């Protein structure tokens, strides 16, 4: 992954990084996964933040 730009981060440690070609890396303190589209990335962060830790 040559290109990576942080575009969103929460106080609970979740983040979204743009990696190019409409793909986004969604991370929390434990793991990261790739999604296609900013809407899917934001939805994934919402689910992570809503789930009990």
């Amino acid at each position: 992954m040559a290109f990576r730009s942080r575009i969103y981060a929460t106080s609970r440690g979740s983040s979204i990084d743009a990696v190019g070609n409409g793909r986004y890396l969604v991370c929390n303190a434990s793991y990261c996964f790739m999604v296609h589209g900013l809407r899917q990335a934001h939805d994934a962060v919402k689910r992570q933040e809503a789930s009990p830790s």
Side-chain angles (χ1 to χ4, degrees), residues 25-43:
L25 190 63
V26 179
C27 298
N28 65 20
S30 303
Y31 61 92
C32 296
F33 59 94
M34 190 85 60
V35 298
H36 186 77
L38 186 57
R39 175 66 180 211
Q40 287 185 340
H42 276 284
D43 288 346

Side-chain angles (χ1 to χ4, degrees), residues 19-24 35-38:
V19 293
N21 295 325
R23 294 176 300 154
Y24 297 87
V35 298
H36 186 77
L38 186 57

Side-chain angles (χ1 to χ4, degrees), residues 38-51:
L38 186 57
R39 175 66 180 211
Q40 287 185 340
H42 276 284
D43 288 346
V45 168
K46 284 183 193 177
R47 284 192 302 275
Q48 286 180 358
E49 300 279 319
S51 64

